[in-house]
Amino acid sequence: MFVRFSTVVGSRGSADTARDVRGFAVKFYTEEGNFDLVGNNIPVFFIQDGIKFPDLVHAVKPEPHHEIPQASSAHDTFWDFVSLTPESSHMLMWLLSDRAIPRSYSTMQGFGVHTFRLINEQGKMNFVKFHWIPVSGVHSLVWDEAQKLMGKDADFHRRGLWEMIEEGNYPEWELGMQVFSEKDAEKFDFDILDPTKAVPEEIIPVTRVGKLTLDRNPENFFAETEQVAFHLGNLVPGIDVTNDPLLQARLFSYLDTQLNRFGSTNFNELPINRPLTKVTNNQQDGFMRTTINKGRVNYFPNSLGENSPAPVPEKKGGYVHFAEEVSGVKTKDRSETFNDHYSQATLFYQSLSPVEKEHLIEAGTFELGKVATLEIRKRVIENFLKVDPDMALAIAAKVGVKALKAKGKAAKNKTSPALSQMSFPGNDLKGRNIAVLVDDGFNFKDFKALESEIKPMGAKATLVSTKVGDIKSSEGTTVSVGKSFLTSGSVMFDAVYVPGGKKSINALALDAGAVLFVNEAYKHLKSIGCNLEAKAFLDKPSINIKGDQPGIFIDSKIKGFVAGLELHRNWDRVISFVPA
């Protein structure tokens, strides 16, 4: 069996560093046709039933009376809707967490969200949840950094992914599956057809079955990416959908979306969407028709073409939906098993590390602080009290919500370590970009020593100076600098290194952009290293660095600084004294 991939990851906001839900879609080109796995970077969703989807989208979009705010959920209509939709509670915890501001697409998890079916050749069925686990680990931005990035480079994530592939540091994800039987599902204290619920990995471990490697950028971005058409109804034998009500709605809406996007039923004939194996659908006419069918027969059954093309029977590998036994009265209601809206939200929050909890509270404070209507803020806090009273009261104290008391305490006897990003540190430095601050007279040997150490690991060192253009090192080597303190910022890099060279150090110390660059990197908990000679720069009163804090490497040993990069962030660093 052969499988090829077309993969799209991206943000639904106008700036790809905003707090947001990110799409993660993979098209598998197999011998039996295309299979589209379309999900998010979050394993659950806001709503349980697709009929609410238009309302959710309307609520989160810019408010229609003034078309503000763009690409943000921090406004009244969104929080009004979710405050009256308690099933959103679990998703809100993920949205407010660090998961919503990934460091890069290469360090972002992906999830199929819904429960699907796997059917073997004997017709036996198991349920399955799909996962994509980044080999480089799961890492995020910090919020102040994300906000500044939107101004510095609104295409930061897209650019980072493109550059990684172009430089040969191919991003990788492992495909994981949680497979469980109907009997297993009956033992869970939640309904596996509820898209606001995830299956904890302590109950059903994730089995890793393959690896996705992005090893080529599109030759033409519009033709190969913008025109890709994903559809959950693109299935292959052995994989089927379930009765998840949100999934059932998506089966309709995705096809409807493509018909509107392309203005024709023939979007599947575009090269990026066309299966690699022959597919006959008896389609005829319509705009952008490219397939030229021979003969007069394009229907079934027929006698004029010897009943060909005919559907492939199940015994020969044809697709047949799983035969599910059902009974009862059909009504337009959700099952009572969908009524628990808070236990998994509580599990998620209580599984976070202390610093992740702190970030979630800050995010909730930011979002609700943008909501003008007090009654909406009160309703949100009342819902949050049912998730975790300590968290809710911490947010309430900062958004002007008073006189609310928790009714009892949330249970604190369950955690799921896999819900914390700290459980996915990764095992490489692929895509990491280290800023090397230089000016005329810098020590070229220091720079080359760092570059030679990190390049085999998939990371790169980028020179940043007071100007763009040629500068000369203390050894007389002329190098070209493509980034200045005006055209870039610390938020675009993972760490900072300052090589030696007295003339260079003196110039950096007098440049406000260089001072801000280092102070911001320190505030954002990034590793900072320098040659012993460059310590004079970091010791300047304008540099708010405490040498005894984690992640500060003041020596001539490059290996120590590089080892610090593997931590991604120095979470124990004290930054309360650093000005904004």
Side-chain angles (χ1 to χ4, degrees):
M1 179 179 182
F2 68 82
V3 178
R4 294 182 185 174
F5 306 97
S6 172
T7 307
V8 173
V9 292
S11 166
R12 292 193 173 97
S14 61
D16 73 358
T17 49
R19 183 177 299 281
D20 204 354
V21 181
R22 318 279 162 142
F24 198 122
V26 181
K27 187 179 290 287
F28 295 77
Y29 302 89
T30 80
E31 291 173 332
E32 298 169 302
N34 291 355
F35 167 54
D36 291 353
L37 181 54
V38 189
N40 288 325
N41 66 322
I42 292 172
V44 293
F45 203 61
F46 292 101
I47 52 176
Q48 296 172 326
D49 192 337
I51 201 168
K52 286 188 176 182
F53 210 106
D55 296 303
L56 169 65
V57 173
H58 291 166
V60 76
K61 275 178 175 278
E63 298 187 13
H65 66 298
H66 56 18
E67 198 67 10
I68 298 173
Q70 294 289 320
S72 173
S73 58
H75 59 100
D76 287 44
T77 58
F78 172 74
W79 287 97
D80 183 35
F81 175 80
V82 295
S83 71
L84 298 168
T85 311
E87 67 204 59
S88 298
S89 299
H90 189 193
M91 179 69 168
L92 288 174
M93 293 298 102
W94 285 82
L95 179 68
L96 296 176
S97 76
D98 290 341
R99 299 298 189 120
I101 44 173
R103 165 61 186 82
S104 68
Y105 288 138
S106 64
T107 60
M108 183 179 84
Q109 272 185 293
F111 303 91
V113 179
H114 304 288
T115 301
F116 292 85
R117 303 180 195 268
L118 293 180
I119 303 103
N120 64 16
E121 291 181 347
Q122 290 72 46
K124 183 181 178 182
M125 188 277 293
N126 280 307
F127 293 115
V128 62
K129 290 272 193 180
F130 292 107
H131 296 245
W132 291 107
I133 305 102
V135 173
S136 295
V138 182
H139 301 293
S140 292
L141 302 167
V142 293
W143 183 228
D144 180 68
E145 180 184 22
Q147 289 179 296
K148 291 173 179 175
L149 257 173
M150 284 190 281
K152 288 286 186 180
D153 185 1
D155 300 309
F156 176 75
H157 282 141
R158 180 181 292 193
R159 190 188 314 281
L161 187 64
W162 190 89
E163 288 180 352
M164 282 186 69
I165 298 170
E166 202 70 10
E167 293 162 359
N169 297 317
Y170 303 137
E172 296 179 309
W173 292 262
E174 291 181 308
L175 175 61
M177 297 182 181
Q178 287 178 292
V179 181
F180 50 96
S181 68
E182 287 186 272
K183 288 186 178 180
D184 291 328
E186 290 171 1
K187 298 174 185 176
F188 300 161
D189 58 1
F190 56 90
D191 196 317
I192 53 100
L193 300 182
D194 180 352
T196 68
K197 303 295 189 296
V199 178
E201 293 185 29
E202 291 71 33
I203 300 177
I204 303 294
V206 175
T207 302
R208 305 187 187 205
V209 298
K211 183 179 286 186
L212 165 65
T213 302
L214 299 187
D215 61 3
R216 182 181 72 83
N217 277 314
E219 298 292 336
N220 182 289
F221 197 90
F222 183 85
E224 297 183 83
T225 301
E226 188 65 27
Q227 290 193 131
V228 69
F230 291 103
H231 178 29
L232 281 82
N234 287 345
L235 300 164
V236 293
I239 303 175
D240 203 353
V241 298
T242 60
N243 293 326
D244 173 340
L246 182 60
L247 174 56
Q248 289 294 320
R250 292 178 73 195
L251 288 168
F252 162 78
S253 67
Y254 274 58
L255 177 59
D256 186 60
T257 295
Q258 309 307 353
L259 293 173
N260 281 281
R261 279 182 66 208
F262 294 98
S264 170
T265 59
N266 294 319
F267 58 85
N268 280 323
E269 295 188 20
L270 295 170
I272 193 63
N273 298 319
R274 186 184 305 144
L276 300 181
T277 189
K278 183 180 179 182
V279 172
T280 302
N281 59 15
N282 284 333
Q283 206 155 292
Q284 174 181 315
D285 304 334
F287 291 119
M288 299 188 294
R289 182 71 176 167
T290 59
T291 301
I292 300 175
N293 301 104
K294 297 180 181 179
R296 65 194 294 193
V297 173
N298 58 2
Y299 54 90
F300 176 87
N302 68 77
S303 62
L304 299 178
E306 298 180 346
N307 229 18
S308 178
V312 178
E314 182 179 9
K315 291 182 180 180
K316 293 186 178 181
Y319 190 90
V320 177
H321 283 288
F322 177 72
E324 180 186 12
E325 184 177 342
V326 296
S327 62
V329 178
K330 183 178 180 181
T331 62
K332 189 180 178 298
D333 294 299
R334 270 174 281 171
S335 168
E336 290 185 5
T337 56
F338 278 42
N339 289 341
D340 174 12
H341 303 316
Y342 299 105
S343 62
Q344 286 210 353
T346 299
L347 177 67
F348 176 79
Y349 179 77
Q350 293 181 357
S351 299
L352 301 181
S353 66
V355 70
E356 288 175 301
K357 289 180 179 178
E358 180 183 334
H359 290 170
L360 190 149
I361 290 170
E362 289 174 354
T365 301
F366 175 87
E367 293 275 319
L368 289 186
K370 295 278 190 174
V371 174
T373 307
L374 178 60
E375 288 305 313
I376 295 174
R377 301 202 300 271
K378 285 183 177 179
R379 283 202 304 270
V380 174
I381 297 299
E382 286 170 354
N383 285 340
F384 283 177
L385 284 169
K386 300 172 185 176
V387 176
D388 187 277
D390 294 337
M391 172 204 71
L393 295 175
I395 296 173
K398 295 182 179 181
V399 297
V401 176
K402 301 177 181 179
L404 283 178
K405 294 183 179 180
K407 297 178 181 178
K409 288 191 175 183
K412 295 189 177 183
N413 59 343
K414 287 185 179 181
T415 61
S416 176
L419 295 175
S420 169
Q421 290 190 152
M422 304 303 179
S423 297
F424 300 92
N427 56 11
D428 63 46
L429 297 181
K430 276 186 181 180
R432 302 287 181 91
N433 193 357
I434 289 78
V436 182
L437 309 192
V438 297
D439 208 280
D440 286 313
F442 78 99
N443 189 313
F444 185 71
K445 289 183 180 178
D446 284 351
F447 166 64
K448 295 305 289 185
L450 173 65
E451 190 176 54
S452 63
E453 190 74 28
I454 65 176
K455 193 171 182 179
M457 302 178 181
K460 63 182 178 182
T462 301
L463 295 174
V464 185
S465 186
T466 56
K467 62 183 179 181
V468 172
D470 290 344
I471 63 172
K472 188 171 286 188
S473 72
S474 58
E475 298 94 331
T477 305
T478 299
V479 297
S480 180
V481 177
K483 301 284 185 183
S484 74
F485 300 121
L486 182 63
T487 62
S488 68
S490 73
V491 292
M492 300 167 68
F493 299 91
D494 296 280
V496 178
Y497 186 77
V498 186
K502 188 173 182 180
K503 184 179 178 182
S504 172
I505 293 163
N506 289 339
L508 293 174
L510 295 174
D511 190 278
V515 172
L516 175 63
F517 199 103
V518 175
N519 282 336
E520 271 192 337
Y522 182 85
K523 179 180 179 180
H524 296 152
L525 309 170
K526 297 173 182 179
S527 290
I528 298 172
C530 71
N531 175 279
L532 284 172
E533 190 177 24
K535 182 177 183 295
F537 172 51
L538 298 188
D539 286 342
K540 292 289 183 182
S542 56
I543 303 290
N544 295 295
I545 284 183
K546 305 294 184 184
D548 59 347
Q549 289 295 315
I552 307 300
F553 301 89
I554 303 175
D555 57 34
S556 58
K557 298 176 183 178
I558 297 293
K559 289 186 181 295
F561 172 68
V562 173
L565 298 178
E566 297 177 359
L567 298 175
H568 180 67
R569 305 275 177 176
N570 298 279
W571 299 115
D572 295 332
R573 182 183 294 169
V574 177
I575 59 171
S576 56
F577 60 86
V578 182

PDB file of all heavy atoms in Angstrom, residues 178-196:
ATOM      1  N   GLN A 178      -5.776   6.020  19.401  1.00  0.00           N
ATOM      2  CA  GLN A 178      -6.379   5.412  20.590  1.00  0.00           C
ATOM      3  C   GLN A 178      -7.484   4.496  20.090  1.00  0.00           C
ATOM      4  O   GLN A 178      -8.506   4.965  19.576  1.00  0.00           O
ATOM      5  CB  GLN A 178      -6.967   6.478  21.509  1.00  0.00           C
ATOM      6  CG  GLN A 178      -5.948   7.313  22.261  1.00  0.00           C
ATOM      7  CD  GLN A 178      -6.616   8.380  23.100  1.00  0.00           C
ATOM      8  OE1 GLN A 178      -7.199   9.320  22.559  1.00  0.00           O
ATOM      9  NE2 GLN A 178      -6.530   8.266  24.420  1.00  0.00           N
ATOM     10  N   VAL A 179      -7.275   3.214  20.193  1.00  0.00           N
ATOM     11  CA  VAL A 179      -8.223   2.230  19.670  1.00  0.00           C
ATOM     12  C   VAL A 179      -8.905   1.537  20.846  1.00  0.00           C
ATOM     13  O   VAL A 179      -8.237   1.054  21.769  1.00  0.00           O
ATOM     14  CB  VAL A 179      -7.513   1.203  18.766  1.00  0.00           C
ATOM     15  CG1 VAL A 179      -8.521   0.205  18.206  1.00  0.00           C
ATOM     16  CG2 VAL A 179      -6.776   1.915  17.624  1.00  0.00           C
ATOM     17  N   PHE A 180     -10.238   1.464  20.806  1.00  0.00           N
ATOM     18  CA  PHE A 180     -10.968   0.835  21.906  1.00  0.00           C
ATOM     19  C   PHE A 180     -12.269   0.248  21.375  1.00  0.00           C
ATOM     20  O   PHE A 180     -12.819   0.691  20.360  1.00  0.00           O
ATOM     21  CB  PHE A 180     -11.249   1.837  23.035  1.00  0.00           C
ATOM     22  CG  PHE A 180     -11.855   3.135  22.578  1.00  0.00           C
ATOM     23  CD1 PHE A 180     -13.225   3.332  22.616  1.00  0.00           C
ATOM     24  CD2 PHE A 180     -11.059   4.166  22.113  1.00  0.00           C
ATOM     25  CE1 PHE A 180     -13.793   4.522  22.203  1.00  0.00           C
ATOM     26  CE2 PHE A 180     -11.614   5.372  21.703  1.00  0.00           C
ATOM     27  CZ  PHE A 180     -12.989   5.548  21.741  1.00  0.00           C
ATOM     28  N   SER A 181     -12.761  -0.750  22.063  1.00  0.00           N
ATOM     29  CA  SER A 181     -13.957  -1.474  21.630  1.00  0.00           C
ATOM     30  C   SER A 181     -15.228  -0.822  22.163  1.00  0.00           C
ATOM     31  O   SER A 181     -15.178   0.087  23.003  1.00  0.00           O
ATOM     32  CB  SER A 181     -13.889  -2.919  22.125  1.00  0.00           C
ATOM     33  OG  SER A 181     -13.994  -2.949  23.549  1.00  0.00           O
ATOM     34  N   GLU A 182     -16.361  -1.314  21.701  1.00  0.00           N
ATOM     35  CA  GLU A 182     -17.638  -0.832  22.221  1.00  0.00           C
ATOM     36  C   GLU A 182     -17.761  -1.144  23.709  1.00  0.00           C
ATOM     37  O   GLU A 182     -18.298  -0.345  24.482  1.00  0.00           O
ATOM     38  CB  GLU A 182     -18.789  -1.475  21.453  1.00  0.00           C
ATOM     39  CG  GLU A 182     -18.977  -0.936  20.048  1.00  0.00           C
ATOM     40  CD  GLU A 182     -20.215  -1.489  19.377  1.00  0.00           C
ATOM     41  OE1 GLU A 182     -20.120  -2.561  18.754  1.00  0.00           O
ATOM     42  OE2 GLU A 182     -21.283  -0.846  19.496  1.00  0.00           O
ATOM     43  N   LYS A 183     -17.246  -2.297  24.128  1.00  0.00           N
ATOM     44  CA  LYS A 183     -17.300  -2.652  25.549  1.00  0.00           C
ATOM     45  C   LYS A 183     -16.458  -1.688  26.377  1.00  0.00           C
ATOM     46  O   LYS A 183     -16.837  -1.307  27.490  1.00  0.00           O
ATOM     47  CB  LYS A 183     -16.831  -4.093  25.752  1.00  0.00           C
ATOM     48  CG  LYS A 183     -17.834  -5.136  25.258  1.00  0.00           C
ATOM     49  CD  LYS A 183     -17.380  -6.537  25.610  1.00  0.00           C
ATOM     50  CE  LYS A 183     -18.414  -7.566  25.165  1.00  0.00           C
ATOM     51  NZ  LYS A 183     -17.982  -8.956  25.501  1.00  0.00           N
ATOM     52  N   ASP A 184     -15.301  -1.307  25.831  1.00  0.00           N
ATOM     53  CA  ASP A 184     -14.474  -0.311  26.528  1.00  0.00           C
ATOM     54  C   ASP A 184     -15.253   0.991  26.685  1.00  0.00           C
ATOM     55  O   ASP A 184     -15.262   1.614  27.756  1.00  0.00           O
ATOM     56  CB  ASP A 184     -13.187  -0.038  25.744  1.00  0.00           C
ATOM     57  CG  ASP A 184     -12.236  -1.212  25.735  1.00  0.00           C
ATOM     58  OD1 ASP A 184     -12.221  -1.957  26.731  1.00  0.00           O
ATOM     59  OD2 ASP A 184     -11.507  -1.386  24.742  1.00  0.00           O
ATOM     60  N   ALA A 185     -15.887   1.420  25.580  1.00  0.00           N
ATOM     61  CA  ALA A 185     -16.602   2.697  25.567  1.00  0.00           C
ATOM     62  C   ALA A 185     -17.730   2.728  26.584  1.00  0.00           C
ATOM     63  O   ALA A 185     -18.027   3.768  27.178  1.00  0.00           O
ATOM     64  CB  ALA A 185     -17.144   2.980  24.175  1.00  0.00           C
ATOM     65  N   GLU A 186     -18.363   1.587  26.804  1.00  0.00           N
ATOM     66  CA  GLU A 186     -19.471   1.511  27.750  1.00  0.00           C
ATOM     67  C   GLU A 186     -19.009   1.741  29.194  1.00  0.00           C
ATOM     68  O   GLU A 186     -19.796   2.136  30.052  1.00  0.00           O
ATOM     69  CB  GLU A 186     -20.161   0.151  27.632  1.00  0.00           C
ATOM     70  CG  GLU A 186     -20.936  -0.018  26.328  1.00  0.00           C
ATOM     71  CD  GLU A 186     -21.429  -1.444  26.120  1.00  0.00           C
ATOM     72  OE1 GLU A 186     -21.159  -2.286  27.025  1.00  0.00           O
ATOM     73  OE2 GLU A 186     -22.056  -1.723  25.090  1.00  0.00           O
ATOM     74  N   LYS A 187     -17.707   1.546  29.443  1.00  0.00           N
ATOM     75  CA  LYS A 187     -17.179   1.709  30.799  1.00  0.00           C
ATOM     76  C   LYS A 187     -16.782   3.152  31.095  1.00  0.00           C
ATOM     77  O   LYS A 187     -16.557   3.505  32.247  1.00  0.00           O
ATOM     78  CB  LYS A 187     -15.966   0.800  30.988  1.00  0.00           C
ATOM     79  CG  LYS A 187     -16.269  -0.680  30.843  1.00  0.00           C
ATOM     80  CD  LYS A 187     -14.981  -1.506  30.909  1.00  0.00           C
ATOM     81  CE  LYS A 187     -15.245  -2.984  30.640  1.00  0.00           C
ATOM     82  NZ  LYS A 187     -13.973  -3.765  30.614  1.00  0.00           N
ATOM     83  N   PHE A 188     -16.650   3.970  30.042  1.00  0.00           N
ATOM     84  CA  PHE A 188     -16.237   5.354  30.256  1.00  0.00           C
ATOM     85  C   PHE A 188     -17.342   6.133  30.960  1.00  0.00           C
ATOM     86  O   PHE A 188     -18.530   5.835  30.785  1.00  0.00           O
ATOM     87  CB  PHE A 188     -15.912   6.043  28.928  1.00  0.00           C
ATOM     88  CG  PHE A 188     -14.798   5.395  28.134  1.00  0.00           C
ATOM     89  CD1 PHE A 188     -14.665   5.654  26.772  1.00  0.00           C
ATOM     90  CD2 PHE A 188     -13.875   4.551  28.725  1.00  0.00           C
ATOM     91  CE1 PHE A 188     -13.651   5.080  26.027  1.00  0.00           C
ATOM     92  CE2 PHE A 188     -12.854   3.959  27.995  1.00  0.00           C
ATOM     93  CZ  PHE A 188     -12.746   4.223  26.639  1.00  0.00           C
ATOM     94  N   ASP A 189     -16.957   7.172  31.712  1.00  0.00           N
ATOM     95  CA  ASP A 189     -17.968   8.006  32.371  1.00  0.00           C
ATOM     96  C   ASP A 189     -18.351   9.208  31.504  1.00  0.00           C
ATOM     97  O   ASP A 189     -18.788  10.239  32.001  1.00  0.00           O
ATOM     98  CB  ASP A 189     -17.477   8.466  33.746  1.00  0.00           C
ATOM     99  CG  ASP A 189     -16.169   9.243  33.669  1.00  0.00           C
ATOM    100  OD1 ASP A 189     -15.656   9.452  32.548  1.00  0.00           O
ATOM    101  OD2 ASP A 189     -15.661   9.649  34.737  1.00  0.00           O
ATOM    102  N   PHE A 190     -18.159   9.080  30.208  1.00  0.00           N
ATOM    103  CA  PHE A 190     -18.547  10.099  29.236  1.00  0.00           C
ATOM    104  C   PHE A 190     -18.942   9.387  27.948  1.00  0.00           C
ATOM    105  O   PHE A 190     -18.669   8.192  27.763  1.00  0.00           O
ATOM    106  CB  PHE A 190     -17.402  11.089  28.977  1.00  0.00           C
ATOM    107  CG  PHE A 190     -16.122  10.419  28.512  1.00  0.00           C
ATOM    108  CD1 PHE A 190     -15.868  10.220  27.162  1.00  0.00           C
ATOM    109  CD2 PHE A 190     -15.188   9.979  29.432  1.00  0.00           C
ATOM    110  CE1 PHE A 190     -14.708   9.598  26.746  1.00  0.00           C
ATOM    111  CE2 PHE A 190     -14.020   9.351  29.029  1.00  0.00           C
ATOM    112  CZ  PHE A 190     -13.780   9.155  27.679  1.00  0.00           C
ATOM    113  N   ASP A 191     -19.594  10.102  27.071  1.00  0.00           N
ATOM    114  CA  ASP A 191     -20.054   9.540  25.808  1.00  0.00           C
ATOM    115  C   ASP A 191     -19.002   9.780  24.734  1.00  0.00           C
ATOM    116  O   ASP A 191     -18.616  10.924  24.480  1.00  0.00           O
ATOM    117  CB  ASP A 191     -21.381  10.197  25.404  1.00  0.00           C
ATOM    118  CG  ASP A 191     -22.114   9.428  24.323  1.00  0.00           C
ATOM    119  OD1 ASP A 191     -21.459   8.980  23.364  1.00  0.00           O
ATOM    120  OD2 ASP A 191     -23.352   9.279  24.433  1.00  0.00           O
ATOM    121  N   ILE A 192     -18.533   8.721  24.078  1.00  0.00           N
ATOM    122  CA  ILE A 192     -17.459   8.871  23.088  1.00  0.00           C
ATOM    123  C   ILE A 192     -17.948   9.545  21.806  1.00  0.00           C
ATOM    124  O   ILE A 192     -17.142   9.897  20.940  1.00  0.00           O
ATOM    125  CB  ILE A 192     -16.785   7.514  22.768  1.00  0.00           C
ATOM    126  CG1 ILE A 192     -17.818   6.455  22.356  1.00  0.00           C
ATOM    127  CG2 ILE A 192     -15.977   7.054  23.964  1.00  0.00           C
ATOM    128  CD1 ILE A 192     -17.918   6.248  20.897  1.00  0.00           C
ATOM    129  N   LEU A 193     -19.250   9.751  21.675  1.00  0.00           N
ATOM    130  CA  LEU A 193     -19.777  10.483  20.521  1.00  0.00           C
ATOM    131  C   LEU A 193     -19.922  11.979  20.809  1.00  0.00           C
ATOM    132  O   LEU A 193     -20.350  12.737  19.944  1.00  0.00           O
ATOM    133  CB  LEU A 193     -21.135   9.910  20.104  1.00  0.00           C
ATOM    134  CG  LEU A 193     -21.146   8.437  19.685  1.00  0.00           C
ATOM    135  CD1 LEU A 193     -22.544   8.017  19.248  1.00  0.00           C
ATOM    136  CD2 LEU A 193     -20.147   8.175  18.581  1.00  0.00           C
ATOM    137  N   ASP A 194     -19.548  12.397  22.011  1.00  0.00           N
ATOM    138  CA  ASP A 194     -19.624  13.803  22.421  1.00  0.00           C
ATOM    139  C   ASP A 194     -18.316  14.489  22.020  1.00  0.00           C
ATOM    140  O   ASP A 194     -17.258  14.181  22.583  1.00  0.00           O
ATOM    141  CB  ASP A 194     -19.841  13.867  23.932  1.00  0.00           C
ATOM    142  CG  ASP A 194     -19.935  15.293  24.462  1.00  0.00           C
ATOM    143  OD1 ASP A 194     -19.679  16.242  23.702  1.00  0.00           O
ATOM    144  OD2 ASP A 194     -20.254  15.442  25.665  1.00  0.00           O
ATOM    145  N   PRO A 195     -18.332  15.432  21.071  1.00  0.00           N
ATOM    146  CA  PRO A 195     -17.085  16.057  20.604  1.00  0.00           C
ATOM    147  C   PRO A 195     -16.473  17.042  21.590  1.00  0.00           C
ATOM    148  O   PRO A 195     -15.414  17.604  21.313  1.00  0.00           O
ATOM    149  CB  PRO A 195     -17.512  16.774  19.318  1.00  0.00           C
ATOM    150  CG  PRO A 195     -18.963  17.071  19.517  1.00  0.00           C
ATOM    151  CD  PRO A 195     -19.507  15.919  20.318  1.00  0.00           C
ATOM    152  N   THR A 196     -17.130  17.255  22.742  1.00  0.00           N
ATOM    153  CA  THR A 196     -16.518  18.096  23.774  1.00  0.00           C
ATOM    154  C   THR A 196     -15.751  17.250  24.787  1.00  0.00           C
ATOM    155  O   THR A 196     -15.305  17.758  25.812  1.00  0.00           O
ATOM    156  CB  THR A 196     -17.578  18.939  24.519  1.00  0.00           C
ATOM    157  OG1 THR A 196     -18.414  18.074  25.305  1.00  0.00           O
ATOM    158  CG2 THR A 196     -18.429  19.738  23.549  1.00  0.00           C
TER     159      THR A 196
END
